[in-house]
């Protein structure tokens, strides 16, 4: 009788899956789409690829991109966060209150803004993991509450940072421009890339990232493995909140004011960026690079259509179509597997 | 003074079983004493006791629903016991979480695979223990890959620790689970049906690993339905029935018949399959050359009027996939389906229902029932059209009558038609699903694991019900992983392995052994092995 070792079985029966078919392929899809858009728009308009316009696109991506970073973590756990937009606004308003109304030092204001976001995220997380409220409902509640609180705290009026020009300079000045005069890319862009690198490290190198994937992949199995799922889930939402807080700081700085009425609808743009970037709403899969590409797909699209004088209403229609097309492409790819 | 105190404590810890290194009676690593655990509506474990000795393979047997898994989950910290004591080396302990169990040196391989498919092999093996550096916030992938490689080498497995688990076969995934359990260097290792998805050769190798662990003093609890396997591997057998531990016997003193008798313990539905009225009744369903992706490879079979066709096979053999394709839930890539000789096109479950097919999912809570609704509405749901009056008005009197008729006919134990289905027992829920299809005038019923999670008594009723249905001229396809069930009920049996039908057996001639042999035929694997041998 021939003896078969387990090794042969394990090696022999492992279904062959080229890595191209997984996460990389999804990113490639989004990246290919982005390149395609850039080519189309640069052929359609000579203005599209000018330095000013490219900087404009980068700048327009910052807030949505940073929100998308946080949303990526949540969506990888197979959750959803609808509150990122209004929490961003609340964070900006808190920063405004701390700096302009109370006259506290600017760093305190910035940290206060981010802490506000993190706290809101933590409330999301605890509601979801301890109270077992579904993410959709929990974050819907926080979304509404944060919107209301922004209006209450600010008295429904914008809070300006006119007394502290440093706030605006934080994102709108250009450190690079100071060194290389012709290359005045505003700092905001580097906030986005810095945050993206940070998010990428957290997702790839820390236990928080690992458990986000594990929870999204099989929550019960993760729990049975002895991982404190509740705590890590709450931490993921808190992290998402912190990114919303950062987006609020960048937003406030860019507008030189905290606009309490802004923010609703941003959560959907952020989720769209994540989804275009190939992160699966059913959890367990996703990348930061994908989200960044997704965010750029959206802002390139809006920018290009605007240059081609497509009315704003139609820009929305096209963006909606792109979101569905991106996910459909992914569904097709999965079906082939 | 202190010496005296310590001495006394030592005596206390040793307990009545006595200590010492004598080979006569080694002290158990873990003792369960009078453990009970209930779930709403079910007393899963009652007053169960069990000793696990170092180095022994302790088989835990019993019918489905006897409480084996629940008892072991209490020990592994998945469930908290309602009553009873758990002693670890003579000292009473509480095991509130899986992590607490791991820290005590108790690890478990769960019955259903509990892996994270999106993560790699190493990430799965070391989940929860992957930290290193920067206040323990970072994951050290290089380290866990290296350690996983060592563990895999120990088991003679050729697997890349960086492979994603989703790309492994079910058998290979099972090996990952075993690797993970071993990585804890546990003193007690619980294996819940570890061989369910393994082929003969793989099982041999697993036994080799188990024996090695035994020599190292690891106490192993081995849950399995395959009694012949237990004869081969275990030292002692504990039988559970209806949540209680019935008896523990040394394996070499127990015959398989004796164990079965202890397992069943009471009168159970034993009628052999009804002899078909006519020699060859008409073929009601014929499936030809059905294919769908990698799951279904050229499957053909027939079903006759009044027949129960058993579909046997291991997990992942493609049984459910075939039936879902026939039912139109996952349309096949190619293949033909004939109903009473007429070619039909089933593109959706709607089409299937229209031509008289009914599918009773293995997961009835997810696919078969609207749990929050009452019995009456569940019963009439798929035949709703019959009860509609003018402008889509529901004729309540008619639905009430129909519901009452089926509650009576199927002997559904309920407080009344208005009882919520989620408050019924598993067996009665299953009856509601059956009733639902009968109300829709279904001629061909596909039962997917009809008795999963149903206790012994209710099981017997379901068997009787299926038998009655065939006598009334209904035809039944029954997928089941429980061989005794297949053998007891089917007229004919088809066996599947890796997406193909590997055998069609007459129920009178089939045995558990023949079925298992065909269920473990490996088309792809054996070919590659032969190729390896013939190569110079």
């Amino acid at each position: 009788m021939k003896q078969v070792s387990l090794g042969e079985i394990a090696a022999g029966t492992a279904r062959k899956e080229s890595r191209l078919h997984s996460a990389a392929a999804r990113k490639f899809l989004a990246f290919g789409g982005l390149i395609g858009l850039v080519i189309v728009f640069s052929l359609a308009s000579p203005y599209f690829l000018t330095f000013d316009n490219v900087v404009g696109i980068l700048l327009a991506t910052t807030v949505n991109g940073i929100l998308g970073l946080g949303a990526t973590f949540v969506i990888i756990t197979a959750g959803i966060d609808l509150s990122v937009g209004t929490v961003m606004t609340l964070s900006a308003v808190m920063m405004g209150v701390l700096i302009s109304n109370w006259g506290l030092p600017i760093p305190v204001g910035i940290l206060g803004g981010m802490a506000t976001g993190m706290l809101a995220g933590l409330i999301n997380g605890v509601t979801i993991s301890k109270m077992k409220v579904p993410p959709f409902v929990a974050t819907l509640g926080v979304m509404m509450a944060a919107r209301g609180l922004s209006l209450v705290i600010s008295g429904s009026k914008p809070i300006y940072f006119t007394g502290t020009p440093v706030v605006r300079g934080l994102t709108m000045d250009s450190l690079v421009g100071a060194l290389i005069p012709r290359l005045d890319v505003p700092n905001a862009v580097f906030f986005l890339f810095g945050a993206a690198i940070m998010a990428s490290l957290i997702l790839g190198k820390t236990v928080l990232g690992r458990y986000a994937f594990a929870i999204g992949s099989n929550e019960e199995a993760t729990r049975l493995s002895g991982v404190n799922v509740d705590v890590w889930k709450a931490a993921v939402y808190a992290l998402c909140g912190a990114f919303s807080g950062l987006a609020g700081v960048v937003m406030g700085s860019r507008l030189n004011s905290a606009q309490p009425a802004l923010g609703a609808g941003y959560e959907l743009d952020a989720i769209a960026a994540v989804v275009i970037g190939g992160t699966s709403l059913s959890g367990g899969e996703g990348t930061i690079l994908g989200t960044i590409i997704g965010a750029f797909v959206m802002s390139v699209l809006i920018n290009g259509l605007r240059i081609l004088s497509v009315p704003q209403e139609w820009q929305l229609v096209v963006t909606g179509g792109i979101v569905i097309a991106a996910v459909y492409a992914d569904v097709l790819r999965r079906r082939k597997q | 003074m202190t010496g005296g105190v310590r001495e006394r404590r030592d005596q206390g810890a040793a307990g009545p079983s006595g200590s010492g290194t004598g080979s006569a009676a080694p002290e158990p690593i873990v003792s369960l004493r009078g453990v009970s655990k209930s779930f709403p509506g079910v007393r899963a474990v009652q007053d169960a006791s069990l000793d696990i000795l170092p180095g022994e393979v302790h088989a835990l047997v019993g019918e489905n629903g006897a409480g084996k898994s629940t008892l072991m989950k209490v020990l592994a910290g998945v469930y908290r016991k309602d009553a009873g004591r758990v002693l670890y080396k003579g000292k009473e302990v509480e095991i509130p979480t899986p992590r607490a169990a791991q820290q005590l040196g108790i690890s478990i391989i769960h019955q259903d695979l509990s892996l994270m498919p999106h993560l790699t092999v190493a990430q799965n093996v070391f989940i929860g223990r992957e930290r290193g550096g920067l206040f323990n916030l970072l994951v050290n992938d290089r380290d866990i890959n290296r350690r996983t490689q060592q563990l895999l080498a120990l088991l003679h497995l050729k697997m890349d620790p960086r492979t994603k688990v989703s790309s492994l076969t079910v058998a290979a995934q099972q090996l990952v689970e075993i690797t993970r359990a071993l990585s804890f260097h546990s003193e007690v290792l619980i294996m819940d049906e570890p061989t369910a998805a393994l082929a003969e050769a793989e099982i041999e190798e697993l036994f080799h690993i188990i024996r090695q662990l035994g020599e190292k003093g690891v106490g192993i609890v081995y849950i399995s339905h395959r009694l012949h396997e237990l004869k081969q591997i275990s030292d002692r057998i504990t039988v559970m029935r209806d949540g209680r531990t019935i008896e523990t016997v040394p394996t070499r003193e127990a015959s398989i018949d004796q164990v079965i008798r202890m397992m069943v313990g009471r009168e159970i539905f034993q009628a052999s399959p009804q002899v078909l009225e006519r020699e060859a009744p008409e073929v009601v369903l014929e499936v030809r050359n059905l294919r769908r992706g990698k799951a279904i490879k050229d499957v053909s079979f027939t079903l006759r009027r009044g027949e129960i066709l058993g579909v046997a096979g291991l997990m992942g053999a493609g049984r459910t996939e075939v039936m879902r394709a026939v039912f139109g839930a996952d349309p096949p890539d190619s293949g033909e389906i004939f109903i009473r000789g007429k070619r039909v096109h089933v593109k959706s479950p709607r089409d299937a229902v229209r031509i008289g097919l009914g599918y009773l999912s293995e997961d009835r809570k997810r696919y078969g029932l609207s749990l929050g609704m009452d019995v009456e509405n569940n019963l009439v749901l798929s035949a709703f059209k019959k009860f509609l009056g003018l402008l889509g008005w529901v004729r309540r009197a008619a639905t009430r009558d129909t519901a009452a008729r089926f509650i009576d006919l199927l002997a559904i134990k309920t407080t009344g038609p208005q009882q919520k289905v989620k408050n019924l027992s598993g067996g009665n829920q299953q009856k509601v699903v059956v009733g639902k299809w009968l109300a829709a005038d279904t001629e061909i019923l596909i039962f997917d694991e009809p008795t999963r999670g149903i206790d012994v008594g209710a099981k017997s009723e379901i068997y009787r019900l299926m038998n009655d249905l065939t006598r009334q001229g209904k035809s039944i396809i029954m997928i089941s992983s429980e061989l005794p069930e297949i053998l007891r009920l089917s007229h004919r049996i088809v066996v599947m392995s890796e997406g193909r039908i590997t055998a069609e057996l007459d129920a009178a001639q089939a045995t558990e052994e023949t079925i298992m042999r065909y269920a473990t035929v490996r088309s792809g694997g054996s070919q590659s092995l032969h190729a390896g041998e013939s190569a110079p």
Side-chain angles (χ1 to χ4, degrees):
Chain A
M1 189 189 150
K2 65 175 181 287
Q3 190 66 33
V4 186
S5 85
L6 278 181
E8 286 173 73
I9 289 148
T13 56
R15 265 185 269 133
K16 283 210 180 93
E17 181 201 37
S18 73
R19 299 202 165 198
L20 265 176
H21 273 108
S22 55
R26 326 177 87 192
K27 251 183 292 173
F28 180 77
L29 224 91
F31 192 63
L34 180 59
I35 298 294
L37 283 177
V38 168
I39 290 172
V40 168
F41 286 132
S42 49
L43 289 177
S45 163
Y47 174 71
F48 181 78
L49 270 189
T50 59
F51 179 76
D52 281 353
N53 193 49
V54 171
V55 167
I57 291 172
L58 288 170
L59 205 53
T61 315
T62 48
V63 167
N64 189 30
I66 293 174
L67 289 178
L69 296 176
T72 307
F73 283 86
V74 168
I75 292 175
I76 285 173
T77 66
I80 196 84
D81 191 346
L82 298 177
S83 70
V84 294
T86 58
V87 165
M88 168 187 83
T89 306
L90 181 62
S91 305
V93 166
M94 281 307 292
M95 180 170 78
V97 167
L98 294 173
I99 295 174
S100 298
N101 295 9
W102 295 358
L104 292 173
I106 291 166
V108 174
I110 291 171
L111 287 177
M114 289 184 62
T116 304
M118 197 156 170
L119 184 67
L122 193 63
I123 292 172
N124 275 329
V126 171
T127 316
I128 291 161
S129 63
K130 284 289 172 205
M131 292 158 62
K132 310 291 175 206
V133 176
F136 192 96
V137 178
T139 59
L140 181 70
V142 168
M143 163 183 156
M144 295 162 96
R147 184 168 194 193
L149 279 176
S150 301
L151 294 170
V152 170
I153 293 170
S154 64
S156 301
K157 283 194 283 288
I159 304 171
Y160 292 95
F161 297 111
T162 34
T164 46
V166 182
V167 173
R168 182 176 155 77
L170 194 65
T171 59
M172 295 312 284
D173 282 354
S174 175
L175 270 178
V176 182
L179 296 171
I180 312 161
R182 291 190 50 82
L183 205 70
D184 47 352
V185 180
N187 296 340
V189 174
F190 297 99
F191 270 86
L192 172 63
F193 289 127
I197 290 168
M198 184 94 105
S200 193
L201 289 175
I202 295 172
L203 190 62
K205 299 284 177 202
T206 70
V207 277
L208 181 69
R210 177 61 43 79
Y211 293 162
F213 280 113
I215 291 169
S217 189
N218 188 344
E219 184 172 333
E220 189 54 23
T222 310
R223 198 188 310 277
L224 292 180
S225 305
V227 174
N228 194 336
V229 169
D230 289 352
V231 165
W232 290 104
K233 229 187 195 177
V236 164
Y237 282 88
L239 179 70
C240 178
F243 276 110
S244 302
L246 178 64
V249 170
V250 171
M251 187 79 162
S253 158
R254 263 188 67 196
L255 301 177
N256 202 20
S257 62
Q259 300 282 347
L262 222 65
Y266 277 70
E267 66 283 342
L268 300 181
D269 284 350
I271 292 168
V274 174
V275 166
I276 292 175
T279 296
S280 161
L281 279 177
S282 48
E285 283 181 273
T287 59
I288 293 299
L289 183 57
T291 297
I292 292 296
I293 292 170
F296 274 110
V297 165
M298 291 183 68
S299 42
V300 163
L301 197 66
I302 296 289
N303 177 281
L305 293 173
R306 191 178 298 150
I307 289 174
L308 299 181
S309 321
V310 175
Q312 200 182 353
E313 296 79 359
W314 283 104
Q315 292 171 19
L316 279 171
V317 175
V318 174
T319 313
I322 292 283
V323 171
I324 293 173
V327 176
Y328 182 59
D330 192 52
V331 171
L332 285 182
R333 181 190 62 83
R334 274 164 188 274
R335 201 178 289 168
K336 269 189 199 146
Q337 259 179 41
Chain B
M1 281 295 282
T2 50
V5 172
R6 192 171 296 146
E7 209 169 309
R8 213 171 305 141
R9 195 189 293 147
D10 283 347
Q11 278 169 356
S17 63
S19 69
T21 48
S23 58
E27 188 194 6
I29 310 172
V30 167
S31 301
L32 299 169
R33 289 283 171 267
V35 172
S36 296
K37 171 75 192 171
S38 292
F39 298 106
V42 195
R43 289 164 88 178
V45 172
Q46 289 177 64
D47 194 21
S49 298
L50 184 75
D51 283 335
I52 303 163
L53 306 176
E56 78 164 338
V57 178
H58 194 133
L60 192 54
V61 300
E63 295 218 318
N64 272 9
K68 302 163 293 188
S69 296
T70 306
L71 182 62
M72 287 303 109
K73 281 181 178 173
V74 166
L75 182 54
V78 179
Y79 297 145
R80 305 202 63 168
K81 61 187 183 324
D82 300 334
R85 298 190 302 152
V86 178
L87 305 174
Y88 178 79
K89 295 191 173 158
K91 256 193 284 179
E92 182 159 359
V93 288
E94 284 297 323
I95 308 177
T97 61
R99 165 137 296 178
Q102 288 167 7
Q103 279 160 356
L104 276 178
I106 298 168
S107 61
I108 183 165
I109 299 170
H110 290 282
Q111 186 174 9
D112 6 284
L113 292 170
S114 55
L115 296 171
M116 281 63 72
H118 295 93
L119 302 190
T120 68
V121 171
Q123 288 169 356
N124 266 285
V125 168
F126 282 98
I127 181 88
R129 295 169 293 157
E130 59 278 270
R131 307 192 192 182
L134 200 76
F135 310 110
N136 261 346
L137 282 176
L138 299 184
V139 287
N140 194 338
D141 272 321
R142 195 180 304 164
D143 182 52
I144 63 171
N145 282 338
R146 187 179 51 77
R147 282 156 69 193
T148 307
Q149 190 68 67
Q150 288 170 354
L151 285 166
L152 291 170
L154 220 64
L155 298 176
H156 309 290
L157 294 177
K158 289 183 199 112
M159 212 189 282
D160 187 340
R162 291 164 302 180
T163 319
K164 262 198 183 178
V165 162
S166 59
S167 66
L168 299 174
T169 57
V170 175
Q173 290 182 15
Q174 188 84 54
L175 299 175
V176 174
E177 293 241 34
I178 291 167
T179 310
R180 175 162 77 186
L182 295 182
S183 71
F184 290 105
H185 304 292
S186 318
E187 289 181 85
V188 172
L189 177 58
I190 303 159
M191 298 181 163
D192 195 348
E193 301 264 12
T195 57
L198 301 187
E200 285 303 322
E202 297 165 302
I203 292 172
E204 265 312 307
E205 191 71 18
L206 175 66
F207 283 179
H208 184 66
I209 294 168
I210 290 177
R211 287 193 195 99
Q212 277 184 342
L213 290 172
E215 281 161 25
K216 287 182 192 153
V218 177
I220 292 161
V221 180
Y222 190 93
I223 301 179
S224 179
H225 282 301
R226 302 185 184 172
L227 298 179
H228 295 278
E229 235 172 67
L230 302 183
K231 267 297 202 198
Q232 232 179 310
I233 190 70
S234 72
D235 302 311
R236 293 198 299 166
I237 299 179
T238 292
V239 179
M240 284 191 78
R241 187 173 75 224
D242 299 337
R244 297 171 190 279
T245 42
I246 301 299
E247 207 178 330
T248 300
V249 290
T251 304
R252 72 187 112 74
E253 289 169 22
S255 74
I256 288 180
D257 284 341
Q258 200 183 338
V259 172
I260 291 175
R261 230 172 295 134
M262 285 194 280
M263 276 167 60
V264 180
R266 65 162 113 145
E267 205 50 49
I268 184 160
F269 182 76
Q270 283 291 7
S272 52
Q274 296 293 314
V275 180
L276 297 180
E277 301 155 14
R278 280 176 285 156
E279 256 314 287
E282 62 168 326
V283 172
V284 287
L285 170 73
E286 180 171 7
V287 172
R288 279 190 208 154
N289 308 106
L290 199 70
R291 289 169 204 272
R292 184 172 200 273
K294 287 177 190 164
I296 309 174
K297 300 166 188 159
D298 195 11
V299 165
S300 305
F301 64 90
T302 58
L303 176 70
R304 291 178 183 280
R305 187 178 147 84
E307 178 183 50
I308 297 181
L309 177 69
V311 183
L314 301 178
M315 235 160 46
R319 297 168 300 167
T320 298
E321 286 79 356
V322 167
M323 293 313 150
R324 282 179 63 90
V326 170
F327 191 63
D330 306 310
D333 297 338
S334 65
E336 295 169 304
I337 298 172
F338 298 84
I339 297 282
R340 288 181 206 85
K342 255 209 307 224
R343 173 93 195 262
V344 291
H345 296 273
V346 185
K347 293 208 176 64
S348 68
R350 216 174 116 85
D351 294 341
V353 172
R354 204 174 298 142
I355 59 173
L357 280 171
Y359 178 72
L360 292 85
S361 162
E362 58 185 318
D363 192 349
R364 53 185 173 272
K365 292 193 178 158
R366 253 177 82 193
Y367 301 114
L369 291 168
S370 312
L371 288 175
M373 291 198 334
D374 59 26
V375 173
E376 176 176 328
N377 275 301
N378 269 287
L379 280 170
V380 299
L381 196 61
S382 57
F384 224 63
K385 263 195 200 145
K386 285 204 268 178
F387 305 106
L388 294 183
L390 202 61
L391 299 173
W393 197 268
V394 179
R395 291 185 288 127
R396 258 313 293 284
T399 63
R400 206 179 300 141
D401 288 351
T402 308
R405 191 157 60 86
F406 282 110
I407 289 172
D408 189 46
L409 184 74
L410 303 171
I412 300 172
K413 273 188 217 115
T414 162
T415 56
Q418 263 63 55
Q419 192 179 17
K420 293 252 159 68
V421 164
K422 65 178 168 206
N423 297 327
L424 297 180
S425 73
N428 281 297
Q429 287 182 352
Q430 185 66 286
K431 287 181 183 176
V432 172
V433 185
V434 174
K436 179 176 132 176
W437 289 113
L438 294 182
D441 295 325
T442 307
E443 289 299 316
I444 300 168
L445 289 158
I446 303 170
F447 283 84
D448 198 345
E449 303 283 0
T451 59
R452 176 167 291 173
I454 290 178
D455 62 59
V456 188
K459 226 184 226 182
S460 188
E461 273 191 68
I462 296 287
Y463 294 158
R464 200 165 290 135
L465 175 63
M466 290 171 75
N467 231 4
D468 289 348
L469 288 172
T470 55
R471 219 173 302 148
Q472 291 158 23
K474 311 276 184 201
S475 310
I476 291 176
I477 296 173
M478 178 183 65
I479 299 177
S480 175
S481 299
E482 288 180 56
L483 294 180
E485 184 170 291
I486 289 257
L487 289 167
R488 208 182 283 166
L489 286 173
S490 319
H491 298 98
R492 251 178 337 122
I493 298 163
V494 292
V495 188
M496 285 194 68
S497 173
E498 296 190 339
R500 286 176 214 283
I501 289 186
T502 47
E504 186 187 319
L505 308 166
D506 198 71
Q509 289 141 24
T511 63
E512 292 201 20
E513 286 70 29
T514 51
I515 292 177
M516 277 322 296
R517 198 163 60 238
Y518 287 113
T520 50
V521 169
R522 287 188 169 266
S523 40
S526 58
Q527 268 163 19
S528 68
L529 284 176
H530 287 305
E533 279 177 353
S534 60

